[in-house]
Amino acid sequence: AVKLGSRFAIKRLLASRIAGWFLACLWAGTLVLLGYWHRSAEATACLFGTAQNQRCHEASAWEWTLDGTNFFTKTNDLYLQNAIWQTFVTATSVGYGDTAPVMLGSKIIQSLSALTGILFSALLTAALQNLLHFSPDEHAVLMLLEGKKVRDDVKMLAATLVGRWWRARARGVHRRKDQSLLLLIQTFKRIKNKALLPSGYYQPDNLKVISACRKMRKVDDLLSTLSELLHAIKTGDQSQSTPFSPAIRPKSPDLQSMGQVTQIRKNLLPMDPLPQSPNKEGTDPLPLSNGSATTAPLTEGEPIQGVPEDEDTSPFRVQDLSKPASAEHTRTDGDKGAEMSGTEWGRVVSNIVDSNISRRKERLEAKLRLNSLASAVLATLGSLAAVIQNELIYDQTAIHSWKVEALKCCNSFCTLGACLCLVQYYRMTILHQRLVKHLYQLVPLETKHLFRGEVIGQWRFWFEFALTALHLPPGVTFEVGGFNLDNFIVYRAESILCIINSLRLHLWARVIRNVGLRDLPHVSILSNISNRPLNYSFVLKRLLTSKWAIVHVSTVWGFSFLICGYWYRCAELSVCQLNTTVTADCLRPEAQQWTLYGTEVDQSRSQWIQQAMWVTVITSTMVGYGDIFPVTHFGRFFASLACITGLLLGSLLTAVIMTLIARNPAEEAALHLLEREKAKKLLMTTAAKLLQLWWRHRKLNKMGIKRNASQATYMLLQQLRSAREASKRDVSDLQSTSARVNDILMRASTIHSLLKDIVEEVGLQRSKWSRIRRESVVDVPSLEEVWQGQNHM
């Protein structure tokens, strides 16, 4: 019995796609709770006016010491954000050293916070390791891609081989003397043999196991039918007149829902089939809702997850719908022009129109890729203009100088272009979705009301549009000030909008997704096959499981250093230090001199970009020397963001390295073969040692010296037996699990086909013999009599 309790629920959460969000929310709640406990433990009641204890009037109530030598004045820090910040830097192992716990209770709480941080870091690493594994649907897409690549490689190698052979023949060089040509021929043979494998080879192992189980169930049915036929022959039962009628088991309901393409074809195929022209690209004509046909680029024999199995086909094979299903669906070329009616000619014209729609979809996908690249480039140029104008302000340049205004105009033009590209991208995305539904789900195509209908109703569009359109236009500037703990800080509008404009860089995510999917043929078809969109998570998994995964993680880490470091500098720098400020709030004492925990803080240290980058590096790597630390609320926020990014990327790097050092099935098989070869060498060495011992004992026996077998002899005999067993292992036993599953599936398919032929032949012979007996004038013995006569002989 399995207990579906809290432990099972936690396992499900940590193995799901929302594991990261679950851990983040749980960690945030834990930090707030521990921070509140820390503030309560650090506060002493003697510093409140309501204290009634008489000892609170003594000097030791506010003059504290930790080592008996250095004394300090105790103050109650009632800011909850300071307590949460101290808990955060303790849990993430940063520890700037700007503050430390004093009370014993707060030290215990911070120790608990550090242990909690280690626990959540380990859980995050395990969750990311689990998320890097492909789901069954995604693995099916990768297997389809592998089969497609193998077929494309065969075509390219064949063309290359013919060209090389022709050039070698023109030079008069025999092919056996051209080593490069021989190597190319060997490569072509190897890839050709892989391309000739059945479609069931290019599917996940779980689907192969399901297919093998279905084959074995059919073998069971065939054996039952064969047993019934043999029993009828022995007993003379003539009730079974059909040559072959095995009991068909009902299909599994979870597999029936996945064969949508074949089911749509069966349900919507017109009674009068259309004359179908041969397809040059191996495409799959599907009937539309108006009775016409369109071209869906599905390759013949390509495996699809869960296509219902026919009696003599693979359970996960696409039916070749470009060929007629039966003889009644075929027409000769001479009959086409004579028998086609006006309705059929209209359907052929509609088929041509739908093929144009398919080409239109391909052109639309190319425009989508170009549009996403254009919007990302324009948004990046606008953000770069905002950064340059912000640096000019920090460099004491006049607020309304022509340089600043020119950069604002450039940012406005780039923002306008990026917004137009964004609107056009969403319009084309909606049109692409409708085209895909029209081609593959038979939904009527509608190209009107694209912007008023579905584009405006998307919250993502408005979020991205507001994030892209928000900028500082020419001639506009202002300053915003406010209290930060006990200090007063003033920000320029250029600095605030510069941080917001840098968020436009998220548009490059679409470009990265398009680059990650560029080697996938027919992405929309693969998405329909896998029953899930090939979105950012699929591309991220492909990037993080490739051989360049460490380079990708390092690049993202370095880019996060730059972004978080610049944001930290903008948050820590107050314009009161600049000569171009116009606000009167900078004359406040709190704006002129900052203090933190009763200690004066130097504001000039935040003016240098190198200092900001250094803070980001020591924070994201959880070092925290303490030479510099954030003071403002926004500075702490961006430092926390850098720390979380470093923690996340560190856990991701650990998960990537664990994935890369794991051996793949081919390496496992090679390792097993190496172990067998080592066992053979060990067998020869052990046998030689045993022969030497035997020869010595024999020589001693001739000399009259008798000695019993030593312990070394028994050890060598045992080693010889184990080495002999290891060296006798067959190559099929040394294969990987995937190769063994392939072998099981192929053997099950072979057994099923052979047994079905036997059952059909027995049934046909029995029916034929029964018909001969009924039509013959001569008394012909029955099969059971022949059977009994052979048994008597």
Side-chain angles (χ1 to χ4, degrees):
V2 180
K3 296 182 180 179
L4 303 180
S6 57
R7 182 179 178 182
F8 177 78
I10 292 175
K11 285 183 178 180
R12 285 199 63 191
L13 284 174
L14 294 179
S16 64
R17 299 175 60 185
I18 61 172
W21 294 106
F22 169 71
L23 290 176
C25 294
L26 188 59
W27 199 0
T30 305
L31 290 178
V32 172
L33 180 62
L34 292 177
Y36 189 82
W37 290 355
H38 173 74
R39 188 188 71 164
S40 302
E42 282 288 307
T44 173
C46 292
L47 298 181
F48 296 114
T50 58
Q52 298 179 359
N53 196 333
Q54 296 298 326
R55 299 192 62 180
C56 290
H57 300 287
E58 298 178 1
S60 59
W62 61 84
E63 291 292 336
W64 286 19
T65 180
L66 297 178
D67 53 2
T69 304
N70 299 319
F71 290 87
F72 62 93
T73 303
K74 171 62 178 176
T75 58
N76 285 339
D77 188 2
L78 301 180
Y79 290 107
L80 181 60
Q81 53 268 34
N82 286 340
I84 296 177
W85 170 252
Q86 185 172 357
T87 306
F88 175 79
V89 297
T90 304
T92 54
S93 305
V94 177
Y96 288 109
D98 52 346
T99 181
V102 178
M103 304 293 292
L104 179 61
S106 60
K107 290 181 179 179
I108 295 175
I109 292 172
Q110 292 303 326
S111 301
L112 183 61
S113 175
L115 294 176
T116 306
I118 295 174
L119 175 62
F120 277 102
S121 178
L123 287 176
L124 182 62
T125 304
L128 290 175
Q129 171 69 21
N130 184 63
L131 289 177
L132 285 180
H133 295 292
F134 288 98
S135 65
D137 295 335
E138 293 170 343
H139 192 58
V141 172
L142 292 177
M143 297 300 291
L144 286 176
L145 176 61
E146 182 182 354
K148 181 67 176 176
K149 284 184 176 180
V150 167
R151 290 189 289 271
D152 293 341
D153 291 344
V154 167
K155 295 178 183 178
M156 293 180 62
L157 278 176
T160 306
L161 184 60
V162 170
R164 293 286 301 275
W165 171 79
W166 185 262
R167 288 194 296 269
R169 181 184 178 185
R171 295 196 310 266
V173 179
H174 196 271
R175 65 177 184 178
R176 294 184 179 179
K177 297 181 179 180
D178 193 347
Q179 297 296 329
S180 60
L181 185 60
L182 289 176
L183 182 62
L184 188 62
I185 291 174
Q186 294 176 0
T187 306
F188 175 75
K189 289 181 179 180
R190 185 178 68 254
I191 298 181
K192 185 190 71 173
N193 294 332
K194 192 174 181 180
L196 293 177
L197 291 173
S199 61
Y201 181 83
Y202 298 105
Q203 58 186 0
D205 291 341
N206 58 339
L207 297 184
K208 294 176 184 177
V209 172
I210 293 175
S211 178
C213 292
R214 294 177 63 180
K215 289 290 185 182
M216 296 311 297
R217 287 199 298 267
K218 288 201 170 186
V219 167
D220 186 18
D221 295 335
L222 290 172
L223 288 174
S224 301
T225 305
L226 182 61
S227 177
E228 293 176 0
L229 286 173
L230 294 177
H231 180 71
I233 290 174
K234 289 181 180 180
T235 58
D237 187 9
Q238 301 295 332
S239 60
Q240 187 179 1
S241 59
T242 58
F244 175 57
S245 60
I248 303 299
R249 297 176 183 262
K251 292 183 175 62
S252 178
D254 57 338
L255 296 177
Q256 289 181 356
S257 60
M258 292 184 282
Q260 298 178 357
V261 176
T262 307
Q263 193 64 29
I264 290 174
R265 168 110 180 145
K266 291 180 180 179
N267 294 339
L268 300 180
L269 187 66
M271 296 300 294
D272 188 11
L274 298 179
Q276 300 177 358
S277 59
N279 227 327
K280 295 182 181 181
E281 299 180 358
T283 55
D284 182 15
L286 296 179
L288 298 177
S289 56
N290 56 359
S292 61
T294 184
T295 304
L298 294 173
T299 307
E300 176 184 356
E302 192 169 353
I304 288 185
Q305 181 182 1
V307 174
E309 180 185 10
D310 295 330
E311 292 182 358
D312 54 352
T313 58
S314 177
F316 303 105
R317 181 189 292 270
V318 177
Q319 184 181 358
D320 185 14
L321 301 179
S322 61
K323 298 180 181 179
S326 59
E328 62 181 5
H329 286 229
T330 59
R331 295 183 182 180
T332 60
D333 296 334
D335 297 337
K336 285 184 179 179
E339 297 184 7
M340 287 177 60
S341 61
T343 305
E344 292 175 343
W345 278 110
R347 291 178 179 176
V348 172
V349 172
S350 180
N351 189 10
I352 296 175
V353 172
D354 290 325
S355 63
N356 293 332
I357 292 177
S358 180
R359 289 193 294 269
R360 180 183 177 185
K361 182 182 73 69
E362 296 177 359
R363 293 195 298 268
L364 186 62
E365 290 174 352
K367 289 181 180 180
L368 279 172
R369 292 191 291 268
L370 183 62
N371 193 282
S372 60
L373 179 60
S375 61
V377 170
L378 289 173
T380 304
L381 291 176
S383 302
L384 185 61
V387 170
I388 295 175
Q389 73 180 6
N390 188 39
E391 290 300 317
L392 289 177
I393 296 296
Y394 287 162
D395 198 30
Q396 309 291 342
T397 305
I399 299 175
H400 296 288
S401 64
W402 67 270
K403 295 180 181 179
V404 176
E405 295 299 327
L407 289 171
K408 289 182 179 180
C409 291
C410 180
N411 189 8
S412 298
F413 282 118
C414 292
T415 300
L416 180 61
C419 290
L420 292 178
C421 290
L422 188 64
V423 172
Q424 188 67 14
Y425 175 82
Y426 271 90
R427 292 184 74 255
M428 289 191 295
T429 301
I430 297 300
L431 181 58
H432 181 265
Q433 292 175 358
R434 292 183 179 182
L435 284 174
V436 170
K437 290 181 180 179
H438 174 67
L439 290 175
Y440 305 120
Q441 299 181 12
L442 312 181
V443 177
L445 180 62
E446 182 181 359
T447 59
K448 299 180 180 179
H449 310 295
L450 289 177
F451 187 76
R452 290 181 300 172
E454 300 183 27
V455 177
I456 295 180
Q458 294 186 11
W459 66 270
R460 292 183 179 179
F461 165 74
W462 288 111
F463 177 76
E464 290 192 5
F465 185 82
L467 199 62
T468 306
L470 190 60
H471 71 290
L472 195 65
V476 179
T477 183
F478 55 90
E479 295 178 351
V480 179
F483 277 96
N484 181 83
L485 298 178
D486 296 329
N487 308 316
F488 194 86
I489 187 170
V490 180
Y491 294 114
R492 296 284 310 179
E494 287 80 3
S495 300
I496 299 174
L497 271 299
C498 178
I499 295 176
I500 296 177
N501 290 156
S502 61
L503 296 176
R504 299 174 180 176
L505 297 178
H506 79 279
L507 295 176
W508 284 100
R510 293 197 183 99
V511 180
I512 296 174
R513 182 194 62 183
N514 295 332
V515 172
L517 296 176
R518 64 183 177 182
D519 59 337
L520 291 178
H522 311 302
V523 177
S524 57
I525 297 179
L526 293 177
S527 179
N528 291 327
I529 288 172
S530 60
N531 296 325
R532 62 173 302 171
L534 302 182
N535 49 15
Y536 299 98
S537 62
F538 179 77
V539 175
L540 186 62
K541 289 179 182 179
R542 289 196 68 200
L543 293 177
L544 294 179
T545 52
S546 63
K547 61 181 180 180
W548 300 102
I550 298 179
V551 177
H552 296 154
V553 175
S554 303
T555 304
V556 174
W557 208 336
F559 184 74
S560 65
F561 285 160
L562 298 176
I563 296 296
C564 293
Y566 194 80
W567 289 351
Y568 173 82
R569 183 197 181 200
C570 295
E572 287 286 311
L573 184 59
S574 175
V575 296
C576 293
Q577 305 176 35
L578 307 178
N579 298 328
T580 57
T581 181
V582 295
T583 181
D585 293 331
C586 289
L587 301 177
R588 294 169 177 259
E590 299 87 354
Q592 296 292 330
Q593 183 62 48
W594 287 0
T595 59
L596 182 65
Y597 306 119
T599 306
E600 293 184 1
V601 178
D602 185 13
Q603 300 184 39
S604 61
R605 61 179 184 173
S606 301
Q607 294 182 1
W608 306 102
I609 187 65
Q610 299 90 337
Q611 292 287 351
M613 294 300 173
W614 172 247
V615 173
T616 307
V617 170
I618 64 177
T619 303
S620 61
T621 54
M622 278 78 74
V623 178
Y625 287 106
D627 53 345
I628 185 172
F629 47 84
V631 178
T632 63
H633 290 321
F634 290 107
R636 288 179 175 180
F637 173 76
F638 291 130
S640 302
L641 185 62
C643 182
I644 293 173
T645 304
L647 181 62
L648 179 64
L649 292 177
S651 301
L652 188 61
L653 184 62
T654 305
V656 165
I657 293 176
M658 290 175 62
T659 304
L660 291 178
I661 64 177
R663 291 189 293 265
N664 55 28
E667 293 172 345
E668 288 285 348
L671 183 62
H672 292 326
L673 287 175
L674 290 176
E675 291 177 354
R676 191 184 70 168
E677 295 301 321
K678 288 182 180 179
K680 289 182 178 180
K681 292 183 178 180
L682 181 62
L683 178 64
M684 297 175 63
T685 305
T686 308
K689 291 180 179 179
L690 282 175
L691 287 176
Q692 291 176 1
L693 285 176
W694 173 80
W695 183 259
R696 291 172 185 172
H697 281 281
R698 184 171 179 271
K699 193 173 182 180
L700 291 175
N701 289 333
K702 287 184 177 180
M703 296 173 60
I705 303 174
K706 294 184 178 180
R707 287 187 179 181
N708 297 327
S710 62
Q711 186 69 23
T713 305
Y714 290 113
M715 291 178 63
L716 285 175
L717 286 174
Q718 186 177 1
Q719 188 176 2
L720 180 68
R721 295 189 188 97
S722 60
R724 184 175 56 186
E725 292 295 330
S727 61
K728 287 184 178 179
R729 297 180 63 184
D730 191 66
V731 178
S732 59
D733 298 333
L734 304 176
Q735 294 177 349
S736 62
T737 305
S738 180
R740 294 177 185 177
V741 171
N742 290 332
D743 188 35
I744 292 173
L745 179 59
M746 292 181 181
R747 291 180 184 273
S749 301
T750 304
I751 294 172
H752 171 258
S753 59
L754 292 176
L755 190 58
K756 188 179 70 172
D757 294 340
I758 293 173
V759 173
E760 288 181 350
E761 185 65 25
V762 172
L764 288 174
Q765 293 297 330
R766 180 173 179 271
S767 300
K768 183 178 179 180
W769 193 279
S770 300
R771 187 174 65 254
I772 291 175
R773 289 192 63 195
R774 289 194 302 269
E775 296 176 357
S776 177
V777 181
V778 185
D779 188 11
V780 179
S782 61
L783 278 178
E784 55 271 14
E785 294 175 355
V786 175
W787 181 278
Q788 293 175 2
Q790 291 180 355
N791 290 337
H792 287 304
M793 291 176 62

